Amino acid sequence: MNPLYEQMATSVFERMSAAAARHGAVNLGQGFPDFGWPEQILDSAARALREGSNQYAPSRGLPELREAVAGHYQRHQGLALDPAHVCVTSGATEALAACIMATVQPGDEVIVFTPAYDCYAPTIRRAGGIVREIALQPPAWRIDKAALEAAIGARTRAIVFNNPHNPTGRLFDADELEALASSAIKHGLTVISDEVWEHILLDGQTFTPLASLPGMTERTLKVGSAGKIFSLTGWKIGWIVAAPELAGVAARAHQFLTFASAPNLQSAVANGLTEGDEWIPPMRDRFARARDRMTAGLKAAGFTVLHPASTYFLCVDLAASGISVDDETFAARAVEEAGVAVVPISAFAEDDPARHLVRLCFSKRDEIIDAGVAAMAKAKELFA
């Protein structure tokens, strides 16, 4: 068997969710919401299932969805797009795989900022690439221009960039985006920009797509997700947005990964992107309230919380909370003895990761948040 997979550990999300089920624990590990999807989108999917086609969709996506994605980004981000810029995929993870396979050749080096979503490194390696990690340092998690330049060498081909950032909840600022863009242009690099959290903006934040910066349109592959926009993660409808020549190559990689996604779900997402802009402000408010409820409860229990600007996630600093064990030890005992599943941040990096932080998902109903906070308080007592 392929040693890349034969020797690979099970994903931390699968591992912690399985542990939560096994111990009857509150699952604050895996990042999915349990509230707040627009009912009209569900109705649209049901109608399309009964009344529309249930055969293969075009590999690049239904024309109506590609048009809707282009129009959505024109309205919200000012990007000049048309359907030729868009390829629909089976979720953002498949989009990332298609982008990486379309970009990376054997021996190419690819820069990844850690902590990082755990699919990046194995997918780069499956394409024959070499992962070069740049560690973002807590609690600020800022991109350091000097560290970026030092990591770029003769074999560097691409950068995988995630903004807003999972697992830290960072929204990178204008200076950091400019540092990344200037390095990419200077060294002729392609940037695969994972922007799936672009609408989960809290505290009045605004999002700047990397492709909108001067010189970046022709070298950026943007990845988006309907699952994140509409809180429907199980639908697995994502997309790639790029200059037509880049999008075309990524689409050829995509056709041999999943070929096409469920047409009724594509149709419903197209309807949501076209008719559902009014959904975004109340969605942001609901996530902000959930974050604030969890943060207040954790602080009352004596935890130090790193404030997130985006995503479904916040991080707890164990060391600053008076807990001297590493994140894996805390996570294991928390799920087994206190009844709450969290994710150790060390799972998001390979080279000398931080081991004093855990990630919690706050996109939950009030009663789940309260139960999770109570279990976290119990977990803290285990290490008193």
Side-chain angles (χ1 to χ4, degrees):
M1 304 297 289
N2 188 328
L4 174 65
Y5 299 114
E6 189 176 34
Q7 299 169 16
M8 184 184 296
T10 301
S11 163
V12 67
F13 310 114
E14 182 70 16
R15 178 161 54 90
M16 295 312 300
S17 291
R22 188 165 60 251
H23 296 284
V26 179
N27 188 358
L28 301 181
Q30 193 169 9
F32 59 87
D34 64 5
F35 63 84
W37 35 86
E39 291 296 327
Q40 65 267 30
I41 296 181
L42 304 186
D43 293 340
S44 178
R47 283 195 306 273
L49 185 66
R50 285 293 184 185
E51 300 170 8
S53 172
N54 285 288
Q55 307 310 322
Y56 296 121
S59 181
R60 286 194 66 160
L62 292 181
E64 64 194 270
L65 179 51
R66 294 171 65 198
E67 183 72 44
V69 170
H72 179 82
Y73 287 133
Q74 286 173 350
R75 292 192 307 278
H76 288 275
Q77 298 178 1
L79 299 177
L81 304 174
D82 60 43
H85 293 79
V86 181
C87 175
V88 178
T89 61
S90 292
T93 300
E94 196 250 316
L96 288 162
C99 290
I100 289 168
M101 291 181 179
T103 303
V104 179
Q105 299 181 61
D108 286 346
E109 295 185 358
V110 182
I111 291 171
V112 174
F113 295 98
T114 61
Y117 181 46
D118 67 347
C119 87
Y120 299 159
T123 309
I124 290 165
R125 292 188 176 113
R126 183 63 187 87
I130 299 165
V131 179
R132 293 292 181 232
E133 293 188 355
I134 297 178
L136 306 177
Q137 298 299 322
W141 307 111
R142 291 188 59 82
I143 293 174
D144 181 79
K145 172 74 169 179
L148 175 57
E149 281 291 319
I152 297 172
R155 294 194 297 172
T156 306
R157 176 71 180 88
I159 300 170
V160 177
F161 178 57
N162 179 207
N163 187 39
H165 188 255
N166 173 22
T168 69
R170 264 302 311 280
L171 183 65
F172 295 105
D173 64 27
D175 289 342
E176 292 168 290
L177 296 181
E178 174 56 35
L180 177 63
S182 64
S183 290
I185 294 167
K186 175 183 175 182
H187 298 282
L189 307 180
T190 299
V191 181
I192 299 166
S193 193
D194 179 354
E195 300 182 356
V196 299
W197 305 100
E198 59 198 342
H199 283 308
I200 315 295
L201 303 174
L202 313 176
D203 306 323
Q205 304 279 351
T206 58
F207 174 75
T208 301
L210 190 66
S212 69
L213 272 62
M216 291 305 294
T217 299
E218 62 270 25
R219 64 179 66 255
T220 301
L221 291 146
K222 172 187 176 76
V223 172
S225 167
K228 300 303 189 297
I229 293 173
F230 297 115
S231 297
L232 296 168
T233 60
W235 282 21
K236 298 298 291 180
I237 300 294
W239 46 75
I240 300 162
V241 177
E245 58 273 20
L246 295 182
V249 178
R252 291 194 283 278
H254 154 73
Q255 70 183 334
F256 295 116
L257 289 170
T258 61
F259 185 78
S261 302
N264 71 305
L265 301 182
Q266 291 193 52
S267 178
V269 170
N271 179 271
L273 291 175
T274 303
E275 305 294 338
D277 286 356
E278 73 278 0
W279 164 246
I280 293 174
M283 173 268 291
R284 291 173 176 167
D285 290 344
R286 183 65 183 88
F287 284 128
R289 289 197 301 272
R291 177 204 59 187
D292 294 345
R293 187 182 188 96
M294 181 177 284
T295 298
L298 290 169
K299 286 183 176 179
F303 287 102
T304 297
V305 178
L306 306 188
H307 187 78
S310 181
T311 75
Y312 300 154
F313 310 113
L314 58 79
C315 292
V316 165
D317 187 326
L318 299 176
S321 304
I323 299 170
S324 59
V325 300
D326 65 82
D327 56 350
E328 283 281 356
T329 300
F330 180 88
R333 292 193 65 186
V335 71
E336 294 170 8
E337 300 176 47
V340 60
V342 300
V343 171
I345 289 293
S346 61
F348 294 84
E350 296 174 348
D351 298 338
D352 194 26
R355 298 187 182 278
H356 63 287
L357 300 159
V358 292
R359 190 196 78 172
L360 285 69
C361 177
F362 59 75
S363 60
K364 305 297 181 184
R365 300 187 308 274
D366 288 351
E367 59 269 29
I368 301 299
I369 290 174
D370 294 346
V373 166
M376 283 290 288
K378 182 178 178 182
K380 192 172 191 298
E381 294 175 359
L382 297 173
F383 302 98

